[in-house]
Amino acid sequence: MSKNLLIIESPNKIETIGKYLKDEGFKIMATIGHIRDLSRIGMGFDEATLEPKWIIPSGKKRGIRNEKSKHEIINEIKAEASKAEKIYLATDPDREGEAIAWHVYEVISDKDKAKCFRITFNEITKPAILKALENPRKIDIRWVQSQFARRILDRLVGYRLSKLVREKMRGTSAGRVQTIALKFIYDREKDIERFKQTKWWTVDAILENNAKLILRELSNDLKNKVKLIQSSESEGSGIDFADATSATMVVDSLKNVFKIYAIDEPVQKNSNPREPYKTSTLQQDAINKLGWNVGKVTIVAQHLYEGIKIKGEHSALISYPRTDSVRISTTFSDVAKKFIEEKYGEKYFQMRHFHSGKKTENENVQDAHEAIRIIDPFTTPESLKDVISRDEYSLYKLIWVRTMAAFMTPARYETTIVRLENAGCKFYTYNRRLVFDGYRKIYKHYQDNETEYDIQISKLKTGSNLKMLSVEAKEHTSMPPPRFNQASLIKALDEAGVGRPSTYRSMANMAVDRGYAKLDSRAYVMLPIGNTIIEGLNQYFPEILDKEFTKKMEEHLDDIANHDERWKEWILQDFKPKFDKELSAAQTEMQRAEPEPVGRPCPQCGKPLIYRASKKTGVQFIGCSAFPQCRYAEFPNSPKRVVLDEKCPLCGKNLVERTNRRGQGFVGCSGFPKCRYIRKVGKDGKIIEFKNDHAKKTSKTKQRKKRSTTKSSDKKGAKKT
């Protein structure tokens, strides 16, 4: 019999943790996320006191192994808790995890509460888990209250704004945090609309050794004849001309030979590695360098954290992936030192200490957070290439390289400036070579604009001449600010302080999920309904849509967690009265938005078509204005299926490329749902075929429902008789 009970969140961790505690006498159970939630009746809390009204959700969560209802999970936890000598609450090391631990604590008996201990670990390894068991603590009620405040604040704002948006603006929903992301996209679109294009010209010359020249100084007789936009004496800057005539005048004055009048002494500069990943920077890099979306990054990172089966055993590969800390433990840095010195030599290692400087990093439980890092440096990406999936390998390699590079010496570059003269005009070029590779020994796969520039400096001497290969007056046009993509939006939210590790994914997806914007070449483009939502809300709730307000809200939540700020008083006294007043004014004064016409009639009934949105999913579509009498609909934003020149082996129809809800691709039958043939590539690269298993299950389900309906009808008939 197990003496101790360990309660975690995800069932995917059970096998990994169980491997480490198999000799310790533990029973391991998973809550499968939250076991209680705010009531769906009303706001879910008492509006006068903000006291939460907790309920146990009914039904079962789909897609979970050994699917169970929350009632079943709670009853099993209670039963095991009554038998255990000690109960360890090991939910995730963040505020949400602390709240889940508190809920478990609340549902068990008072007798069993006395046996409860809270533990956290940042990585799923045996040393980390055993160390956590040796240092148990009480549940941090400040963290729990901070999570309560977040949930209630989001309900208070989200429920009421969403109702207003549906009634007045024909939208689907709005929220305290997610709508800020839409405001960022809206503001960028307005910046693009206000942008005024400008032009300028430069003189671009290339020498016979392919060196590119930068114009630094004009001859005396040209200075008063040309029109300049700007001229800078700093290195790296050239001269910009206001018109083509001025630039052409300089080009025409040049001769075919440039004379070297000086070669500066070489200057060496270090290129330092970047700090380890936190959630936002990992998401940005994976989106930019791997071409993924934020949802895929989140899912694959969670797999690497929870554990992946390698050679028959589950092993965790990275630390906790939801963090805004860049701190690395000394335990890991010692192992990193050993690996780097053994693999590359002592000169490649440099000890560093990383600090994010955020309030969340203090001496209490928050310090359990580290950067997103690998577990073991000796588990190299190449050693896993053939035993984990391609996506898992790609993300693990990204994290492994970034983590190890952070503890390596800087790369060192030597730059030499070469100064040249032609017809009284002065130019310069430079030679840049890598003197010592340092961290770039392993970072070469992810270069960040750090390149060498070789003009064969050893062959150049002061006083020598170089022939001109080409010269031109080149026109340049200013570009508007780029639209946000997922990576740049997350970066902007992070820099503005309005996001948190747990919210970046939803903030990046909300605009598209609600139908307020669309993705065009991976960039967000506002839709008319999105503009209506932001402009309407900004008129009556300018403070809520201000990034500084949202930033202060997040700081308040941090203060609740760290400094005992009384969360109920803050919301009731400072926030709610003003919000209620603004909401009342909006409900009274705001005019109901008319549906946006498409500009063509319905092909079924002839009434005008309008843009609509699903109340359930928020998906935008084109529908008939005569709904519900006419239910004609078009879904122009649905992804187009790629039809393959290959027939289904079961029914003979064409196969098509499809995508599941996790964003993973597979090949299916165009005859779906009647034919459920599926083909996908497994982790080992082999093709796996799923034929009609699901169809058989569906058929059996229909038969059971039919028998159940028949029995029900028989019972009703018997009662009537």
Side-chain angles (χ1 to χ4, degrees):
M1 181 186 295
S2 303
K3 296 183 297 182
N4 301 315
L5 177 63
L6 184 75
I7 297 175
I8 59 176
E9 284 185 44
S10 171
N12 299 330
K13 302 177 189 174
I14 291 177
E15 190 171 346
T16 308
I17 296 174
K19 178 180 69 172
Y20 301 134
L21 298 180
K22 61 183 177 182
D23 299 324
E24 305 293 330
F26 272 89
K27 170 76 175 179
I28 305 173
M29 301 184 71
T31 64
I32 312 180
H34 288 272
I35 58 169
R36 298 198 301 184
D37 197 4
L38 291 173
S39 173
R40 292 285 180 182
I41 299 174
M43 297 293 289
F45 55 88
D46 187 299
E47 293 194 50
T49 64
L50 299 187
E51 192 62 30
K53 298 177 181 179
W54 301 112
I55 62 165
I56 301 172
S58 59
K60 300 179 179 182
K61 193 171 182 180
R62 295 184 179 276
I64 300 296
R65 190 194 315 166
N66 301 323
E67 184 182 353
K68 295 176 183 176
S69 70
K70 295 301 180 182
H71 284 279
E72 290 172 321
I73 292 170
I74 289 172
N75 289 335
E76 289 179 5
I77 288 175
K78 286 181 176 180
E80 292 296 332
S82 65
K83 297 184 287 185
E85 293 181 11
K86 292 182 179 180
I87 303 165
Y88 293 95
L89 306 175
T91 46
D92 287 349
D94 55 18
R95 294 176 200 172
E96 193 169 11
E98 203 77 12
I100 292 172
W102 179 86
H103 282 295
V104 174
Y105 179 84
E106 286 293 302
V107 300
I108 61 178
S109 68
D110 290 339
K111 180 182 177 182
D112 293 332
K113 283 184 173 69
K115 301 183 286 186
C116 274
F117 300 93
R118 173 75 168 122
I119 65 170
T120 58
F121 37 84
N122 190 55
E123 59 184 54
I124 305 177
T125 61
K126 188 171 184 178
I129 295 169
L130 294 179
K131 183 178 179 181
L133 290 168
E134 292 170 2
N135 297 278
R137 59 172 175 82
K138 294 180 180 180
I139 292 173
D140 191 328
I141 196 64
R142 297 176 303 175
W143 272 43
V144 176
Q145 289 175 345
S146 178
Q147 184 64 17
F148 289 173
R150 178 182 290 279
R151 292 295 314 283
I152 287 173
L153 197 60
D154 288 347
R155 280 274 181 105
L156 184 66
V157 176
Y159 273 29
R160 290 180 169 179
L161 285 187
S162 294
K163 183 180 179 182
L164 180 73
V165 162
R166 286 192 293 269
E167 291 177 351
K168 299 288 188 176
M169 292 177 261
R170 308 187 70 87
T172 53
S173 67
R176 180 184 69 88
V177 177
Q178 284 88 344
T179 304
I180 289 295
L182 185 65
K183 180 67 161 52
F184 271 62
I185 299 168
Y186 173 88
D187 289 344
R188 178 58 60 87
E189 202 71 33
K190 292 303 175 184
D191 289 341
I192 294 171
E193 290 176 9
R194 289 190 293 265
F195 173 78
K196 293 183 179 180
Q197 193 176 76
T198 59
K199 293 184 178 182
W200 73 97
W201 284 258
T202 59
V203 173
D204 291 7
I206 300 177
L207 298 178
E208 58 183 317
N209 61 349
N210 291 318
K212 297 177 182 178
L213 300 186
I214 299 169
L215 177 61
R216 284 288 311 282
E217 186 179 327
L218 295 173
S219 62
N220 291 330
D221 59 335
L222 286 173
K223 286 180 179 179
N224 297 323
K225 297 179 181 178
V226 299
K227 295 180 181 179
L228 305 180
I229 290 179
Q230 66 86 22
S231 177
S232 174
E233 293 298 320
S234 63
E235 299 291 357
S237 299
I239 296 176
D240 295 338
F241 297 92
D243 52 47
T245 303
S246 297
T248 304
M249 194 179 300
V250 177
V251 170
D252 292 342
S253 72
L254 297 178
K255 300 175 183 178
N256 194 40
V257 175
F258 286 79
K259 182 178 181 179
I260 299 175
Y261 69 87
I263 299 178
D264 294 359
E265 286 295 319
V267 176
Q268 291 192 4
K269 290 185 179 180
N270 287 344
S271 168
N272 293 309
R274 296 191 175 189
E275 62 189 13
Y277 281 129
K278 55 184 180 178
T279 302
S280 60
T281 51
L282 174 63
Q283 290 172 343
Q284 292 166 45
D285 255 14
I287 292 168
N288 289 329
K289 295 177 179 178
L290 302 180
W292 293 3
N293 60 51
V294 65
K296 183 174 181 178
V297 181
T298 305
I299 291 169
V300 178
Q302 188 70 15
H303 290 171
L304 296 175
Y305 166 66
E306 292 178 346
I308 295 171
K309 187 161 284 189
I310 300 171
K311 296 180 181 178
E313 286 194 353
H314 262 71
S315 297
L317 296 177
I318 67 169
S319 60
Y320 192 54
R322 288 189 292 280
T323 177
D324 56 8
S325 170
V326 293
R327 186 183 68 84
I328 295 281
S329 68
T330 54
T331 303
F332 178 82
S333 59
D334 290 342
V335 180
K337 179 177 187 291
K338 182 180 178 183
F339 175 84
I340 292 170
E341 290 182 348
E342 285 184 9
K343 181 75 173 177
Y344 306 112
E346 292 183 8
K347 64 181 180 179
Y348 280 93
F349 176 77
Q350 181 171 316
M351 178 62 73
R352 286 189 178 87
H353 301 283
F354 302 96
H355 300 283
S356 64
K358 291 199 174 184
K359 289 184 178 181
T360 50
E361 293 189 327
N362 58 19
E363 66 276 3
N364 64 16
V365 74
Q366 295 93 311
D367 200 48
H369 282 292
E370 287 188 59
I372 302 172
R373 60 164 175 80
I374 55 172
I375 299 298
D376 180 13
F378 290 88
T379 304
T380 63
E382 294 310 308
S383 70
L384 298 176
K385 191 170 186 178
D386 297 327
V387 294
I388 61 177
S389 73
R390 183 168 58 184
D391 287 343
E392 291 161 351
Y393 166 78
S394 297
L395 191 62
Y396 181 72
K397 183 176 181 180
L398 201 68
I399 298 170
W400 188 94
V401 168
R402 179 76 166 236
T403 306
M404 298 310 298
F407 288 98
M408 296 180 74
T409 46
R412 193 159 59 251
Y413 289 88
E414 182 183 85
T415 303
T416 305
I417 302 293
V418 179
R419 305 186 184 280
L420 304 99
E421 184 269 340
N422 188 326
C425 295
K426 293 182 178 180
F427 295 77
Y428 83 93
T429 186
Y430 65 93
N431 189 85
R432 189 170 191 262
R433 69 184 185 92
L434 183 64
V435 178
F436 177 66
D437 54 1
Y439 75 96
R440 293 203 166 272
K441 194 170 191 70
I442 64 170
Y443 210 76
K444 55 190 175 185
H445 300 291
Y446 307 105
Q447 294 287 356
D448 293 326
N449 300 320
E450 292 281 1
T451 58
E452 295 184 79
Y453 184 61
D454 183 16
I455 61 168
Q456 301 173 350
I457 192 72
S458 61
K459 298 180 180 179
L460 303 180
K461 293 180 181 180
T462 303
S464 60
N465 295 329
L466 289 173
K467 290 183 179 179
M468 180 167 59
L469 189 64
S470 65
V471 64
E472 64 173 327
K474 190 172 183 179
E475 180 183 347
H476 302 268
T477 305
S478 61
M479 300 297 291
R483 287 190 170 101
F484 283 117
N485 59 22
Q486 284 194 333
S488 58
L489 179 61
I490 290 170
K491 182 180 181 181
L493 293 169
D494 183 33
E495 290 176 347
V498 301
R500 288 296 182 265
S502 59
T503 63
Y504 291 129
R505 179 183 179 182
S506 59
M507 292 176 83
N509 287 335
M510 188 281 297
V512 175
D513 290 346
R514 298 292 187 271
Y516 298 155
K518 65 178 181 178
L519 286 175
D520 184 3
S521 299
R522 301 178 66 189
Y524 293 102
V525 179
M526 290 291 290
L527 294 173
I529 182 65
N531 291 326
T532 300
I533 300 297
I534 291 298
E535 289 164 4
L537 292 178
N538 201 44
Q539 181 180 355
Y540 292 93
F541 308 94
E543 190 176 25
I544 288 180
L545 265 67
D546 183 4
K547 63 182 180 182
E548 286 302 315
F549 171 80
T550 307
K551 179 182 178 180
K552 288 177 182 177
M553 284 286 190
E554 294 293 350
E555 290 173 352
H556 272 301
L557 295 172
D558 291 344
D559 288 339
I560 293 168
N562 301 330
H563 305 297
D564 292 320
E565 181 175 324
R566 290 177 291 182
W567 66 278
K568 289 183 180 180
E569 286 82 350
W570 162 55
I571 296 177
L572 285 171
Q573 295 173 12
D574 296 346
F575 174 73
K576 192 171 182 295
K578 186 177 181 181
F579 177 64
D580 288 345
K581 185 178 179 180
E582 291 172 339
L583 188 66
S584 177
Q587 290 170 333
T588 304
E589 301 170 11
M590 188 180 288
Q591 298 296 314
R592 182 178 175 84
E594 293 298 322
E596 184 186 358
V598 176
R600 52 189 173 91
C602 173
Q604 289 187 359
C605 70
K607 296 287 179 68
L609 290 175
I610 59 174
Y611 289 102
R612 302 176 61 89
S614 167
K615 290 183 179 180
K616 186 175 181 181
T617 64
V619 173
Q620 292 282 320
F621 65 96
I622 293 172
C624 183
S625 57
F627 179 86
Q629 287 76 24
C630 178
R631 294 180 174 271
Y632 176 80
E634 299 174 8
F635 296 87
N637 293 326
S638 297
K640 294 181 180 180
R641 296 183 299 176
V642 178
V643 181
L644 303 178
D645 189 19
E646 186 179 351
K647 302 296 181 182
C648 173
L650 295 181
C651 69
K653 292 186 177 179
N654 279 82
L655 295 177
V656 294
E657 291 181 357
R658 304 174 69 94
T659 305
N660 65 17
R661 59 186 176 185
R662 286 187 173 183
Q664 299 165 330
F666 66 94
V667 172
C669 182
S670 58
F672 178 86
K674 290 184 178 179
C675 178
R676 294 178 177 267
Y677 173 81
I678 292 175
R679 185 179 75 211
K680 66 178 184 178
V681 179
K683 291 182 179 180
D684 55 1
K686 294 181 180 178
I687 292 177
I688 306 171
E689 291 185 315
F690 301 89
K691 297 197 175 175
N692 256 352
D693 295 345
H694 191 82
K696 291 176 183 177
K697 289 178 184 177
T698 304
S699 178
K700 289 179 181 178
T701 303
K702 287 181 179 178
Q703 290 174 10
R704 282 197 299 271
K705 286 183 178 179
K706 187 176 181 181
R707 287 196 297 269
S708 176
T709 305
T710 304
K711 287 180 182 178
S712 178
S713 300
D714 291 344
K715 286 180 181 178
K716 288 179 181 178
K719 285 181 181 179
K720 287 181 181 179
T721 304

